[in-house]
Amino acid sequence: MRFQEDSIDCVDFILKKDEVLTIILGGGKGTRLLPLTEKRSKPAVSFGGKYRLIDIPISNSLNSGFEKIFILTQFNSYSLNRHINRTYATNNIHQKSFVEIIAAEQTVSSANWFEGTADAVRKVLPYIREQKPKYVLILSGDQLYNMDLSDFMQSHLMDPETEISVATNAIPEDQIYGLGIVKAGVGGFIQEFIEKPQDVTQVESCRTKNGSFLANMGIYIFNTSTLIDVLEDRNMADFGKEILPRAIRERKVKAYTYDGYWEDIGTIKAFYEANLMLTDHIPKFNLYLEKTPIYTRARALPPSKIIQAVVNQALISEGTILNQCEVHRSIIGVRQLIASGTKIYDSIIMGLDHYGYFDRKSGKIPIGIGPNCEIRRTIVDKDCAIGANVRLLNEQNLQEYEDEYVRIREGIIVVPRHTAVPDGYSI
């Protein structure tokens, strides 16, 4: 599995990359992303029409030359596990490159499941030791960014005293809440770390010269010996809340500033905006970079068919059929069917797992988007059947709402997976 050799241009560094093990955290319950996470984990949620969120960190690691990857999974993990197995399977007999799942398990030494980011890594230390890495790279499974992680590693190696490196991203004052904020001093070493401040006065000392703040991206490099040491205290379950604050007092912890686009996909609004951003003329996150592609499952699907349709500023995935409809600033997922007379604006219409019908007690109805519908500011999850003359508009500008067919979260309509919306439904 050799995806990118030319992304690493330091000969000395190429010799060290086999000493790096990547750990991708599969995430918790993802309650803020409900209902998209009712039947799947956050990293398994569809993104950009044809991808899953988990494809982003895996691709970043592979494109950076780090090809030994463990993915830790726990909640609603079937869909994620199936995607990983179908997408990243390898027959490398030397086992120098791999993308493997480690599911949470009960053992003789521990009867509990993963109880935090640090606890998850602690529980898989036996598997980490088997690989004998010199460095462990820890990534989140539900963030959007395109980062050369080899640059991050070279920054870590630049000062031999560095034991832990933390990737940071500059953010404005109004985004500090819910993130970890760091203050970097001489040589980039972190002097302060405040997890999820409630007020800007708590982090005023961390403000940079240009007025921004450095946020912890949840991306770390540990010397393996250091990682083992800091995980000895079993009462410390989380990297951001517990491990890092103590490590900053006792060890050399360095900040690396990533100046590209980064988004933590934590809420329905963040997910919605990150997807629609992809339709911009010059998106902040670029899917069209040849040297750093986003890998995903290869599907044997026919080309998209567009019949007398109006399509403007949209991503149309393979296997779709657009029949005399209109699609404006929207994303259409794989195999999706959109019937005549339907108008879609500012929406994410996820794909279908198969062409066919949706079973209901009253009989079978075709899955896809029916005729003469109007859909605005909506996320339609996978494998839904939207009937004829349906209006998903949120005309009352509701912020929170739910019924048998839709949920409204942060003003955005969401149709949960496998929902059949009847003819004439309106919201």
Side-chain angles (χ1 to χ4, degrees), residues 5 27 67 73 86 92 102 116 218 248 300 327 363 385 387 409 413 419:
E5 286 289 344
E67 302 172 354
T73 65
R86 290 179 175 181
N92 188 330
I102 303 180
I248 288 166
V327 179
R409 298 290 182 262
I413 300 172
T419 297

Side-chain angles (χ1 to χ4, degrees), residues 13-146:
F13 187 68
I14 290 176
L15 300 177
K16 292 184 172 67
K17 71 176 185 179
D18 286 340
E19 300 173 339
V20 178
L21 176 67
T22 299
I23 304 288
I24 300 178
L25 303 174
K29 294 181 180 180
T31 53
R32 293 188 300 160
L33 211 57
L34 286 169
L36 300 180
T37 51
E38 282 181 348
K39 300 178 181 179
R40 58 166 87 85
S41 63
K42 229 185 344 178
V45 174
S46 296
F47 176 79
K50 61 179 291 182
Y51 307 100
R52 307 283 190 108
L53 288 175
I54 192 66
D55 292 327
I56 308 302
I58 293 177
S59 298
N60 276 309
S61 186
L62 294 174
N63 290 331
S64 301
F66 305 134
E67 302 172 354
K68 299 165 70 173
I69 302 172
F70 283 149
I71 301 170
L72 311 190
T73 65
Q74 178 164 283
F75 294 102
N76 278 340
S77 59
Y78 173 74
S79 178
L80 178 61
N81 294 349
R82 182 177 62 177
H83 175 72
I84 298 301
N85 288 330
R86 290 179 175 181
T87 305
Y88 301 99
T90 174
N91 295 317
N92 188 330
I93 61 174
H94 299 294
Q95 297 182 334
K96 292 182 179 179
S97 303
F98 56 81
V99 179
E100 293 182 357
I101 296 164
I102 303 180
E105 58 185 354
Q106 292 180 315
T107 65
V108 173
S109 60
S110 176
N112 298 320
W113 303 112
F114 298 155
E115 297 175 356
T117 54
D119 184 66
V121 175
R122 179 185 295 114
K123 285 186 167 68
V124 302
L125 277 177
Y127 305 109
I128 294 174
R129 286 191 174 102
E130 284 179 7
Q131 297 300 321
K132 300 178 181 178
K134 192 171 182 180
Y135 310 100
V136 176
L137 171 64
I138 297 177
L139 308 178
S140 173
D142 50 19
Q143 296 178 344
L144 184 60
Y145 60 101
N146 195 334

Side-chain angles (χ1 to χ4, degrees), residues 175-208:
Q175 294 180 15
I176 64 172
Y177 310 102
L179 296 171
I181 304 301
V182 307
K183 177 182 179 181
V186 177
F189 290 104
I190 298 177
Q191 298 174 331
E192 292 184 54
F193 180 89
I194 298 93
E195 176 72 357
K196 297 181 179 179
Q198 301 299 309
D199 188 87
V200 70
T201 58
Q202 294 179 258
V203 293
E204 195 59 52
S205 63
C206 301
R207 194 186 292 271
T208 65

Side-chain angles (χ1 to χ4, degrees), residues 133-339:
K134 192 171 182 180
Y135 310 100
V136 176
L137 171 64
I138 297 177
L139 308 178
S140 173
D142 50 19
Q143 296 178 344
L144 184 60
Y145 60 101
N146 195 334
M147 180 176 173
D148 186 348
L149 297 167
S150 65
D151 284 347
F152 183 28
M153 180 60 72
Q154 290 187 54
S155 171
H156 181 82
L157 297 174
M158 198 171 297
D159 190 321
E161 291 188 343
T162 303
E163 298 176 86
I164 305 170
S165 287
V166 180
T168 66
N169 190 253
I171 60 169
E173 181 179 319
D174 61 355
Q175 294 180 15
I176 64 172
Y177 310 102
L179 296 171
I181 304 301
V182 307
K183 177 182 179 181
V186 177
F189 290 104
I190 298 177
Q191 298 174 331
E192 292 184 54
F193 180 89
I194 298 93
E195 176 72 357
K196 297 181 179 179
Q198 301 299 309
D199 188 87
V200 70
T201 58
Q202 294 179 258
V203 293
E204 195 59 52
S205 63
C206 301
R207 194 186 292 271
T208 65
K209 291 181 179 179
N210 64 7
S212 63
F213 295 87
L214 294 180
N216 173 20
M217 295 171 64
I219 298 174
Y220 312 111
I221 295 173
F222 284 83
N223 295 346
T224 303
S225 58
T226 301
L227 178 65
I228 293 171
D229 287 346
V230 300
L231 292 178
E232 282 186 354
D233 186 346
R234 294 183 175 274
N235 293 318
M236 305 183 76
D238 191 83
F239 283 116
K241 294 177 183 177
E242 296 155 333
I243 296 290
L244 283 182
R246 177 187 286 187
I248 288 166
R249 295 192 299 269
E250 301 174 355
R251 299 176 181 273
K252 290 289 188 178
V253 183
K254 189 176 183 180
Y256 170 82
T257 302
Y258 170 64
D259 58 6
Y261 171 82
W262 170 74
E263 180 65 50
D264 185 16
I265 309 294
T267 65
I268 289 292
K269 185 177 181 180
F271 175 82
Y272 172 82
E273 292 177 347
N275 269 273
L276 288 194
M277 172 269 297
L278 299 176
T279 69
D280 292 346
H281 292 291
I282 304 178
K284 296 176 182 177
F285 182 83
N286 194 342
L287 295 172
Y288 300 90
L289 300 176
E290 290 187 20
K291 291 188 176 181
T292 55
I294 305 301
Y295 304 106
T296 194
R297 179 185 169 196
R299 300 174 175 88
L301 289 175
S304 296
K305 183 185 293 187
I306 301 175
I307 306 168
Q308 294 182 325
V310 175
V311 179
N312 177 40
Q313 199 175 336
L315 300 185
I316 309 297
S317 304
E318 60 263 42
T320 58
I321 300 177
L322 309 184
N323 183 22
Q324 296 179 319
C325 58
E326 294 186 25
V327 179
H328 302 272
R329 194 171 180 261
S330 296
I331 294 177
I332 310 299
V334 297
R335 295 189 188 86
Q336 190 57 257
L337 311 174
I338 302 178

Side-chain angles (χ1 to χ4, degrees), residues 369-381:
I369 313 297
N372 302 314
C373 297
E374 186 173 354
I375 299 173
R376 294 178 184 266
R377 288 183 58 80
T378 296
I379 301 170
V380 177
D381 205 340

